[in-house]
Amino acid sequence: MTSSSPSSSVMRKLDVVSPVPADIDIANSVEPIHISEIAKHLNLTPNHYDLYGKYKAKVLLSVLDELQESKDGYYVVVGGITPTPLGEGKSTTTVGLCQALGAFLHKKVVTCVRQPSQGPTFGIKGGAAGGGYSQVIPMDEFNLHLTGDIHAITASNNLLAAAIDTRIFHESTQSDKALFNRLCPANKEGKRSFSDVMFRRLKKLGISKTNPDDLTPEEVNKFARLDIDPESITWRRVMDINDRFLRKITVGQGPDEKGMVRETAFDISVASEIMAVLALTTSLADMRERLGKMVIGNSKSGDPVTADDLGVGGALTVLMKDAIHPTLMQTLEGTPVLVHAGPFANIAHGNSSIVADKIALKLVGPGGFVVTEAGFGADIGTEKFMNIKCRYSGLTPQCAIIVATIRALKMHGGGPAVVAGKPLDHAYLTENVALVEAGCVNLARHVLNSKAYGANVIVAINKFSTDTESELNAVRKAALDAGAYDAVICSHHAHGGRGAVDLGIAVQKACENATQPLKFLYPLDAGIKEKIEAIAKSYGASGVEYSEQAEKKIEMYTKQGFSGLPICMAKTQYSFSDNAAAKGAPTGFILPIRDVRASIGAGFIYPLVGTMSTMPGLPTRPCFYDIDLDTTTGKVIGLS
């Protein structure tokens, strides 16, 4: 395989109309190009992918092996200012920029984005395919089942959950000998053997014997009895639907469970550690190791219990073997998209997968562009992209984009609250340059923080129809004064790639002129508290306050040998601080750490700042009221 310049024949020119129609109407008005044509544009042959219908394909990891000697293209990450609850258009900007680079500037480009959860799709937020004339299509397939990755994660997660409760049940009802005999049964010849996964536990215990019959009674006890402390279990069941009534449940109430009632809960599927593992893995072998290392709780003596201790690491990998391959799709203008993974952006790092980015960088080659999106504002998404994702990938971005809107900046300048589902206040629909300028303190801090990683920073000002020239110019000036490499006004929602051509030109210059190496916010060998405090300082905090529970957890994880992992801060996306109502760029506050948890398989420690819900609820009027099927055409209607 070799990279080449893109063929313009695969690109599609859009006929845009004003006012901009509903997202689903735009998506349904465009007939997607057969995915084999999109693949051919990237020099992929049918041996490099598996088709999932006409418009989706799984790109195989073997592509990465074939191209390992090829040079990478430019790497661009899209973050944003601290958003309003309506979102400021990061996904739309990511797609619009790629359409500009591919369809108008004739560069080889791949968009790398997360797979959306069905929770928000049917809840209040809607889908995540972009918007207006900058979307990933088919939009309905993108927002719903796609190629089944989230379903695979759900099945894997729940298999592990079932294994935990089952093991506790069997250990409580059997002697060491009976338990061991069932774990290592004799074959027809009367011989017993360990399964492959059992050798991982034996090695952990320091037992080098390979014949089950050679174990002493003490070794049998250590091997067979995990002795899980039910109070320490952190693993929950998941489903990919918002359901507030599953935030707390009890299990084990059936008569056959012999009174083994335990309180637990459901999370939404994208909050599963298995999703974070998928996003951070670098190969099939690496994913197998990460899945096996996931810690589900502790033994009663305080030792971490893993998926491999339960014997289920290999089975989880089997369930995930197809999910590791990124899904190839396309934008409205025919530029290629890799959709892969979608970790919860609070308790995980909120970025799409490393393997998708690596494949894309090889496919576009030198002079090409890979544009990926980081979840939430840059204080969460870009920070985690740099300090977690780039640590594991070894990749260095040349350009970091910060998406800003007049609407959000007015809010940060002291404007009225912006509430999803309610009409915008008059202040957001009329010119108020002073309010915009006051809110630019938020933008300035994001620029300063993002520059510290070494990438050239560009501010993309996502233009709305109510924005005035004076307001837009005020943002551009504030961005440049803060040290941005450039600041560009964009209209990709209304005009597709044509509306982001200036942004594309700026990104190309920023990448070509990038000279600094990637700089991390903290070294991995620093203590857990030191790393937390380095991130808190970037928020503007003057200090950190730890609860008694957090102190105990930090001590426990340090003792267990996990202190060398990066930090994944779980806090509100609506403020630099822990207080969602504190807008602008607050300083001097104390950041409270309520609890500290760990995703050992994924590879990070996550401190909880305040309360994080991992199972969203449905509003009074969810999005599903508008979603239906046109039974004549078979097209989905009402998705947003």
Side-chain angles (χ1 to χ4, degrees):
M1 292 177 64
T2 57
S3 60
S4 64
S5 59
S7 165
S8 59
S9 62
V10 77
M11 305 299 177
R12 179 194 295 107
K13 299 300 181 185
L14 292 175
D15 294 321
V16 303
V17 298
S18 182
V20 179
D23 291 350
I24 188 67
D25 292 338
I26 294 173
N28 284 342
S29 72
V30 173
E31 181 66 28
I33 299 162
H34 197 284
I35 202 65
S36 62
E37 292 299 312
I38 303 295
K40 187 188 298 183
H41 169 72
L42 290 171
N43 295 319
L44 293 170
T45 72
N47 292 330
H48 296 130
Y49 58 86
D50 290 332
L51 288 171
Y52 278 67
K54 293 187 291 184
Y55 307 126
K56 305 187 299 291
K58 281 279 195 179
V59 178
L60 306 179
L61 262 59
S62 57
V63 171
L64 202 51
D65 297 328
E66 280 191 43
L67 294 176
Q68 60 182 332
E69 300 303 321
S70 301
K71 291 185 177 179
D72 290 348
Y74 293 122
Y75 195 29
V76 180
V77 59
V78 179
I81 62 171
T82 306
T84 68
L86 305 179
E88 309 320 307
K90 284 198 315 300
S91 299
T92 307
T93 301
T94 301
V95 175
L97 167 61
C98 291
Q99 291 181 166
L101 287 167
F104 291 88
L105 298 175
H106 309 297
K107 302 295 180 183
K108 205 153 192 181
V109 64
V110 174
T111 312
C112 289
V113 291
R114 290 186 292 170
Q115 179 183 351
S117 165
Q118 290 179 164
T121 298
F122 291 109
I124 193 169
K125 183 178 179 292
Y133 286 102
S134 295
Q135 294 187 57
V136 179
I137 57 171
M139 185 256 235
D140 55 337
E141 295 181 30
F142 177 84
N143 281 311
L144 299 175
H145 307 286
L146 199 60
T147 47
D149 293 357
I150 293 181
H151 300 321
I153 288 162
T154 302
S156 304
N157 184 101
N158 294 343
L159 175 61
L160 180 51
I164 295 165
D165 287 310
T166 297
R167 185 58 171 264
I168 295 172
F169 171 80
H170 287 308
E171 286 191 23
S172 72
T173 58
Q174 298 178 46
S175 66
D176 288 355
K177 183 178 180 181
L179 192 62
F180 186 63
N181 287 342
R182 287 184 171 89
L183 288 171
C184 301
N187 61 19
K188 292 179 180 179
E189 288 77 37
K191 293 183 178 180
R192 299 197 296 175
S193 61
F194 293 115
S195 63
D196 287 346
V197 72
M198 289 177 175
F199 287 109
R200 294 174 181 252
R201 175 155 178 81
L202 289 166
K203 183 179 179 181
K204 176 180 175 179
L205 295 171
I207 301 172
S208 58
K209 298 171 182 176
T210 58
N211 185 343
D213 293 325
D214 292 341
L215 267 62
T216 66
E218 292 76 16
E219 289 171 335
V220 166
N221 174 272
K222 286 171 64 178
F223 169 77
R225 202 163 288 283
L226 301 182
D227 201 26
I228 298 168
D229 178 3
E231 295 296 318
S232 75
I233 296 172
T234 54
W235 199 265
R236 297 173 167 182
R237 290 160 174 82
V238 299
M239 64 186 300
D240 196 36
I241 293 294
N242 292 359
D243 191 343
R244 66 178 70 243
F245 285 93
L246 294 178
R247 289 172 179 169
K248 184 176 285 188
I249 63 168
T250 57
V251 294
Q253 296 193 76
D256 295 333
E257 277 58 70
K258 301 181 180 178
M260 293 189 61
V261 175
R262 181 172 71 84
E263 189 176 277
T264 181
F266 269 78
D267 292 332
I268 196 161
S269 295
V270 290
S272 170
E273 184 178 348
I274 296 177
M275 175 64 90
V277 165
L278 178 65
L280 288 171
T281 197
T282 55
S283 67
L284 187 60
D286 180 58
M287 184 173 74
R288 170 64 186 89
E289 294 304 310
R290 288 176 181 270
L291 291 172
K293 289 193 298 185
M294 294 187 304
V295 172
I296 59 88
N298 297 327
S299 69
K300 290 175 182 174
S301 59
D303 297 318
V305 178
T306 68
D308 273 342
D309 287 330
L310 286 155
V312 74
L316 300 181
T317 310
V318 169
L319 284 170
M320 292 293 294
K321 70 179 180 65
D322 295 324
I324 197 173
H325 305 296
T327 300
L328 180 65
M329 296 187 74
Q330 63 190 282
T331 67
L332 284 168
E333 295 187 80
T335 59
V337 180
L338 285 179
V339 186
H340 202 212
F344 212 69
N346 286 115
I347 65 163
H349 64 298
N351 283 259
S352 58
S353 79
I354 286 173
V355 293
D357 289 1
K358 284 194 164 189
I359 288 171
L361 285 163
K362 297 298 184 188
L363 289 175
V364 300
F369 294 83
V370 171
V371 184
T372 189
E373 178 191 349
F376 290 158
D379 56 317
I380 299 180
T382 303
E383 183 271 310
K384 294 175 181 179
F385 172 86
M386 300 291 187
N387 289 305
I388 300 176
K389 184 176 180 180
C390 289
R391 279 190 200 271
Y392 285 122
S393 70
L395 300 173
T396 299
Q398 289 77 36
C399 178
I401 294 173
I402 298 173
V403 178
T405 62
I406 299 296
R407 175 180 67 198
L409 292 170
K410 284 182 175 180
M411 179 190 71
H412 287 294
V418 175
V419 181
K422 291 186 178 181
L424 283 172
D425 187 271
H426 183 69
Y428 296 103
L429 306 176
T430 55
E431 182 174 283
N432 191 328
V433 176
L435 199 60
V436 173
E437 289 175 337
C440 281
V441 294
N442 184 271
L443 173 61
R445 183 176 291 170
H446 284 297
V447 170
L448 187 68
N449 285 352
S450 298
K451 277 188 68 178
Y453 297 110
N456 283 333
V457 176
I458 291 178
V459 174
I461 308 166
N462 189 11
K463 181 183 178 183
F464 290 16
S465 60
T466 52
D467 300 339
T468 69
E469 187 175 350
S470 296
E471 291 173 331
L472 294 166
N473 288 336
V475 179
R476 190 169 190 278
K477 180 180 184 303
L480 296 174
D481 289 347
Y485 183 85
D486 204 348
V488 182
I489 298 164
C490 313
S491 61
H492 42 275
H493 182 273
H495 303 116
R498 187 182 299 280
V501 167
D502 289 344
L503 178 61
I505 293 169
V507 166
Q508 181 177 351
K509 288 179 181 176
C511 288
E512 290 171 347
N513 292 298
T515 57
Q516 295 188 61
L518 176 59
K519 302 168 188 173
F520 296 118
L521 195 57
Y522 52 79
L524 283 183
D525 59 5
I528 292 175
K529 283 189 174 182
E530 290 176 74
K531 288 183 276 199
I532 291 172
E533 285 154 20
I535 298 171
K537 185 178 178 182
S538 76
Y539 296 157
S542 59
V544 178
E545 183 178 83
Y546 301 91
S547 70
E548 183 181 348
Q549 184 178 15
E551 293 275 11
K552 288 179 179 177
K553 291 286 193 68
I554 290 170
E555 183 181 352
M556 179 184 75
Y557 292 135
T558 302
K559 182 181 177 182
Q560 291 176 342
F562 301 138
S563 63
L565 294 174
I567 298 297
C568 186
M569 200 76 86
K571 77 168 183 72
T572 177
Q573 67 269 35
Y574 296 124
S575 174
F576 275 110
S577 74
D578 61 300
N579 177 11
K583 304 303 181 185
T587 58
F589 58 90
I590 302 296
L591 195 72
I593 305 298
R594 179 177 64 86
D595 194 7
V596 179
R597 298 178 187 169
S599 291
I600 303 304
F604 53 76
I605 302 286
Y606 62 101
L608 297 179
V609 182
T611 302
M612 291 293 131
S613 174
T614 50
M615 172 53 84
L618 291 172
T620 304
R621 192 191 186 282
C623 294
F624 63 60
Y625 272 88
D626 301 313
I627 298 171
D628 212 326
L629 194 71
D630 184 327
T631 55
T632 302
T633 64
K635 289 185 178 293
V636 174
I637 56 177
L639 270 180
S640 60

